[in-house]
Amino acid sequence: MHAPPSHGLASANLPPTSPQLYNQDLAPTQTAGRRWTAYSIFTLWANDVHSLGNYGFALGLFALGLGGWQILLALGIGAILLFALLNFSGFMGHKTGVPFPVMSRIAFGIHGAQIPALIRGAVAIAWFGIQTYLASLVLRVLLIALVPSLKEMDTNSILGLSSLGWITFIGLWIIQVFIVSYGMDMIRKYEAFAGPVILVTMVSLAVWMFFQAGSSISWSTDNALQGGDMWREIFGAGALWVSIYATFVLNFCDFTRSSKTRKSIVKGNFWGIPINTLLFGGIVVVLAGAQYRINGQIIASPSDIVETIPNTFLLVMAALALLILTVAVNLMANFVAPIYALTNLFPKRLNFRRAGLISALIGLVILPWNLYNNPAVIVYFLGGLGALLGPLFGVIMADYWLIRKAKVNVPELYTEVKDGAYFYKNGFNPRAIIAFAVAATISLLIAFVPALAALSSFSWFFAAGIAAIVYLAIADRNRTFHDVSGEPIAVPSVH
């Protein structure tokens, strides 16, 4: 588990790998045998773009006063920016074959990488529990629709959750742990299965609502924004669309490290981000406009429509699709990151399966429904951690693309020798940490100081930009960078 291929080390005369830095899950993936295609990347976005949280965000734009074309323009602006950012992030994973915690060693040092890995993992593990709880709410509605007598089990409270709530939460928890226990390739297969299901379901729901509204929709509400207010909301919404994916632009390499070619990343991102986002926007406009045409109300989520479906069979099918969607989003966005973070923290003791179980257990014992129902936790704890993602991205991208021009000595990411390329000072790069700290302070001020609230929509861009500028100003430019392949110590991408 902890030793690289002996024949590779001998033939390449590489520095010794450290068991504190290397195991089969943290090792680079071999170029041959990678299985993630353009379709694999596309289905990631086919699931994640159509998440219930994203629908809530976009439907909220309609409530704020943006009409159909303004919503599509806002999402289009965000999608174009996101497409570019994800390509740059994805190329890093394809070239090196390493997961995000190891990628962070390039800029932050072999030990300093724990900082970005744990921040990303902490954000994800809390949201893993919360999303599982939200999915359990859908399952409760589904079960009660099938067996009305189960409603009696939904009236008590045990640690803040009813008996039926516990059954549904634990059931979904077990399903996700089972999928993850078979590794990244099983996640790929699940995403490939879920993607078409979600697309068909959401398009069908939009078509059904369109006919329910008499084949006509409202393109805006009665309080439609005009002039400067309209344009501020459009660009602010576009920026927030990028911020929603602040986690993914950081650790997209967790997935693209198994991608076949750079072209597959670009193609998958193109169909999955700009094209799929416009489809998503069209569905949002139809759902919101149709409901507003019917009764003058604005829906908050597609689940609100599902609950009103008069046919029990169709309601069950739609609810199942929402469950498939939520599990798919949770696996990719909130389960993979903490697994790699924990593996990076304890590489001698943990592998992908063990770290997945520990991540899931943490997501259970924190009683996430209590977190979700506590606005202070969401705003200050998770909001504060989220504000740190932009600075991390700025430092990592500036170091990789602008300082070292994508030259990486992959084998030295796994060695503790003092003259190693990423040893810096005792394993930490002070310059990266300083740049991160400066930008993080500004990002937190923008997030929590009321006087700076006008900048909050663009906080990710400010944070990432400031971190990159500060790092470029103080980075050591006297170093020589070498591009060394990790193939001698690489492992098959399916493990």
Side-chain angles (χ1 to χ4, degrees):
M1 174 179 172
H2 305 101
S6 57
H7 65 278
L9 284 177
S11 62
N13 193 28
L14 297 175
T17 59
S18 168
Q20 300 293 339
L21 300 173
Y22 182 101
N23 69 17
Q24 298 296 303
D25 294 296
L26 297 175
T29 55
Q30 293 174 355
T31 302
R34 293 183 179 181
R35 297 189 178 185
W36 285 67
T37 63
Y39 178 75
S40 305
I41 301 297
F42 163 74
T43 54
L44 287 179
W45 307 127
N47 291 307
D48 196 70
V49 166
H50 292 270
S51 71
L52 295 181
N54 284 351
Y55 274 103
F57 164 74
L59 290 166
L61 299 179
F62 191 79
L64 285 173
L66 292 184
W69 72 266
Q70 292 103 325
I71 291 174
L72 291 175
L73 178 59
L75 293 175
I77 292 170
I80 291 172
L81 293 171
L82 191 58
F83 173 68
L85 294 172
L86 284 168
N87 282 335
F88 282 115
S89 180
F91 292 162
M92 295 162 63
H94 173 262
K95 176 182 172 66
T96 62
V98 303
F100 174 67
V102 178
M103 187 72 70
S104 301
R105 296 174 189 173
I106 300 172
F108 283 87
I110 55 173
H111 299 313
Q114 300 291 1
I115 298 171
L118 290 176
I119 290 173
R120 175 65 182 94
V123 173
I125 208 165
W127 281 111
F128 162 76
I130 290 171
Q131 291 287 353
T132 302
Y133 163 66
L134 294 176
S136 74
L137 297 180
V138 177
L139 183 55
R140 282 153 69 177
V141 171
L142 171 60
L143 292 177
I144 291 173
L146 291 173
V147 186
S149 61
L150 290 176
K151 191 172 181 62
E152 297 178 4
M153 299 179 62
D154 203 28
T155 56
N156 62 333
S157 178
I158 306 171
L159 297 177
L161 208 58
S162 68
S163 299
L164 184 60
W166 274 103
I167 291 171
T168 54
F169 182 89
I170 294 298
L172 290 172
W173 185 90
I174 291 173
I175 290 172
Q176 293 175 95
V177 171
F178 176 79
I179 294 172
V180 164
S181 69
Y182 285 90
M184 287 293 289
D185 203 51
M186 179 60 76
I187 293 176
R188 176 185 66 84
K189 292 176 181 177
Y190 182 83
E191 300 292 334
F193 152 75
V197 173
I198 301 313
L199 292 175
V200 170
T201 300
M202 291 304 180
V203 170
S204 300
L205 197 60
V207 171
W208 181 74
M209 281 295 292
F210 180 73
F211 286 111
Q212 288 290 107
S215 301
S216 177
I217 65 171
S218 297
W219 285 92
S220 64
T221 62
D222 295 335
N223 64 333
L225 295 176
Q226 301 290 334
D229 291 338
M230 178 190 73
W231 288 107
R232 276 193 296 272
E233 286 295 339
I234 287 174
F235 286 108
L240 285 173
W241 188 248
V242 176
S243 300
I244 287 171
Y245 289 90
T247 53
F248 252 125
V249 293
L250 262 183
N251 74 304
F252 191 34
C253 60
D254 287 342
F255 305 92
T256 59
R257 66 192 292 244
S258 295
S259 59
K260 290 189 173 184
T261 62
R262 283 169 59 127
K263 183 178 179 180
S264 69
I265 297 172
V266 175
K267 187 176 179 180
N269 281 342
F270 174 75
W271 288 100
I273 297 297
I275 302 302
N276 186 38
T277 297
L278 290 178
L279 173 64
F280 163 82
I283 293 172
V284 166
V285 171
V286 172
L287 293 180
Q291 187 67 58
Y292 197 77
R293 171 74 69 182
I294 292 170
N295 57 13
Q297 295 182 354
I298 300 173
I299 60 171
S301 169
S303 58
D304 296 340
I305 295 175
V306 170
E307 292 178 11
T308 66
I309 295 176
N311 184 289
T312 302
F313 174 77
L314 294 178
L315 185 150
V316 169
M317 291 296 100
L320 280 174
L322 293 184
L323 285 173
I324 291 170
L325 165 65
T326 306
V327 169
V329 173
N330 220 15
L331 289 173
M332 60 187 285
N334 301 318
F335 216 163
V336 172
I339 288 174
Y340 280 127
L342 287 173
T343 304
N344 189 60
L345 194 61
F346 304 107
K348 294 179 67 175
R349 299 183 179 276
L350 297 181
N351 58 14
F352 196 92
R353 177 176 292 187
R354 295 173 194 164
L357 180 58
I358 293 173
S359 298
L361 287 172
I362 296 173
L364 170 63
V365 300
I366 61 175
L367 305 180
W369 45 90
N370 291 330
L371 296 182
Y372 182 73
N373 294 321
N374 187 332
V377 171
I378 297 295
V379 172
Y380 293 106
F381 177 66
L382 292 179
L385 285 175
L388 304 180
L389 300 179
L392 292 175
F393 181 81
V395 171
I396 291 171
M397 298 297 280
D399 179 81
Y400 184 92
W401 290 107
L402 301 178
I403 297 296
R404 64 184 65 249
K405 311 295 184 183
K407 292 181 179 179
V408 181
N409 188 329
V410 176
E412 294 204 6
L413 291 169
Y414 300 92
T415 184
E416 291 185 285
V417 296
K418 292 186 178 181
D419 60 348
Y422 312 103
F423 190 78
Y424 296 106
K425 292 188 177 180
N426 298 317
F428 295 84
N429 182 2
R431 291 178 170 86
I433 294 172
I434 290 170
F436 165 72
V438 170
T441 301
I442 296 173
S443 182
L444 290 171
L445 289 174
I446 293 174
F448 298 125
V449 175
L452 300 176
L455 302 176
S456 60
S457 296
F458 305 93
S459 61
W460 186 89
F461 292 92
F462 278 110
I466 291 169
I469 291 170
V470 173
Y471 185 72
L472 289 173
I474 65 176
D476 183 359
R477 296 179 180 275
N478 295 320
R479 304 181 66 197
T480 301
F481 304 110
H482 301 283
D483 206 20
V484 182
S485 171
E487 283 292 322
I489 60 171
V491 298
S493 62
V494 181
H495 55 282

